[in-house]
Amino acid sequence: MFSSLRNLGILLLLLTCISTSKAQTLPASTTSTSATFTRADTARAIRKLFKSRRGGGAGWLGFGTASILASTLPALQTTSAGVWTPGVVAGSAFMLIGLNKRIQFRPGRERQVLRELAATGHLPTSVSRRLRGNFAPLRGLPSDYDPLSAPGIRPAAVALGLTPAQVAEAARADTLRAINRLFERRRKGGKRWNYLGLAGILSMTRALASPSIDGSHVDGGSLAILVGGFVAAPVAIGVTNLVTYNEARESEIENAYRSGKPLPKRIRQRIKKKDLQPLD
């Protein structure tokens, strides 16, 4: 009897050790599996996330519109019925939620995130923290569709099989070209604003100098509004662009970037997609 109990105890001990070892090795195997995700797997998850959020945004917009119409149409049809204010407030909130989702997960931003993933392998925090649950990356097959292979997503240098050093050099050249285009565009815009202000001055001078048919004249308040809107504002915008984006400032930023310093946040925010396009 004692031998049977001893054998049973040994068996239970072995089962406990086996289950403990499995529990300890399971996270490691899970981690190794998650580490095998490719960029294509992540890109498919991003595509699914953005498509779902855009659809949800459309639903919120439709729900908000229906709520506002249901709260205001009775008041338009009969004089006795009033507008149901809580319904209008709730509908406006629903529409804001939907509009925010449509803007945040718009197709243009999706392409931007995919391009960054293809070029660097990194994702914005606002996107990576949402890749969980139903939107977690799943390991796919080589024959599955790769969103990174879409036109305009994968950098040309990667498609040509260049080395990482060559890819980095190409990216640096693209950034320098974008800086130059940004400053040139801003300086041209500043000149146009100054020309607009000059045209406003000439037009107002001619209008004030010419005699009026009915003998009326422009009062001081109206003149101040015209001067501010058609002269002062354009000239101020033009001078600001010319001063902020002068050639000396451009050379300073280019030299700092060549030395390894990051671009200022103000410059990064103003670089547009067309500034990064290759030269024709």
Side-chain angles (χ1 to χ4, degrees):
M1 179 178 180
F2 288 103
S3 62
S4 300
L5 292 175
R6 185 179 61 184
N7 294 334
L8 181 60
I10 294 174
L11 180 61
L12 292 175
L13 181 61
L14 290 174
L15 291 175
T16 304
C17 293
I18 292 173
S19 61
T20 304
S21 62
K22 286 184 177 180
Q24 291 176 351
T25 57
L26 182 59
S29 62
T30 304
T31 304
S32 62
T33 302
S34 62
T36 59
F37 289 143
T38 63
R39 294 185 182 182
D41 298 333
T42 306
R44 282 189 288 268
I46 293 172
R47 196 162 179 258
K48 181 180 179 182
L49 169 68
F50 273 74
K51 184 177 180 180
S52 175
R53 293 302 172 91
R54 283 197 297 268
W60 280 107
L61 287 173
F63 190 40
T65 303
S67 178
I68 292 176
L69 291 177
S71 303
T72 56
L73 283 180
L76 298 177
Q77 294 175 355
T78 60
T79 57
S80 59
V83 176
W84 191 47
T85 305
V88 175
V89 174
S92 301
F94 296 153
M95 292 190 69
L96 287 176
I97 295 174
L99 185 62
N100 178 63
K101 287 182 178 294
R102 297 290 295 184
I103 294 175
Q104 187 177 5
F105 297 95
R106 62 190 183 276
R109 185 167 183 265
E110 178 183 352
R111 289 191 296 270
Q112 180 181 357
V113 171
L114 291 176
R115 281 196 296 267
E116 182 178 355
L117 174 65
T120 64
H122 298 292
L123 291 176
T125 306
S126 60
V127 175
S128 60
R129 64 184 176 87
R130 289 182 169 88
L131 295 180
R132 62 178 186 270
N134 294 332
F135 305 109
L138 300 175
R139 186 166 52 180
L141 300 175
S143 59
D144 291 342
Y145 172 69
D146 183 7
L148 301 179
S149 62
I153 299 298
R154 197 184 303 275
V158 176
L160 293 175
L162 300 180
T163 63
Q166 292 173 328
V167 172
E169 183 63 28
R172 189 178 297 108
D174 292 340
T175 304
L176 291 173
R177 181 174 63 248
I179 294 172
N180 178 258
R181 289 180 174 179
L182 168 66
F183 274 76
E184 286 187 354
R185 187 179 71 251
R186 289 286 179 162
R187 285 196 293 265
K188 290 180 180 178
K191 293 178 181 179
R192 294 192 185 101
W193 280 109
N194 285 336
Y195 294 153
L196 180 61
L198 179 60
I201 293 176
L202 296 177
S203 299
M204 291 182 59
T205 302
R206 181 178 179 181
L208 293 175
S210 60
S212 178
I213 298 176
D214 55 358
S216 61
H217 60 280
V218 181
D219 58 357
S222 301
L223 181 61
I225 294 175
L226 292 175
V227 172
F230 293 96
V231 178
V235 171
I237 296 174
V239 172
T240 301
N241 280 337
L242 291 176
V243 173
T244 306
Y245 297 93
N246 57 70
E247 295 181 356
R249 173 66 172 164
E250 179 182 356
S251 300
E252 179 184 351
I253 292 178
E254 288 180 349
N255 294 333
Y257 181 74
R258 287 191 178 96
S259 63
K261 296 181 180 179
L263 291 178
K265 183 178 179 180
R266 184 183 182 90
I267 300 298
R268 293 199 311 269
Q269 292 176 343
R270 280 164 173 75
I271 291 179
K272 297 182 179 180
K273 180 181 177 181
K274 61 182 180 181
D275 297 328
L276 295 168
Q277 295 297 324
L279 295 173
D280 297 332

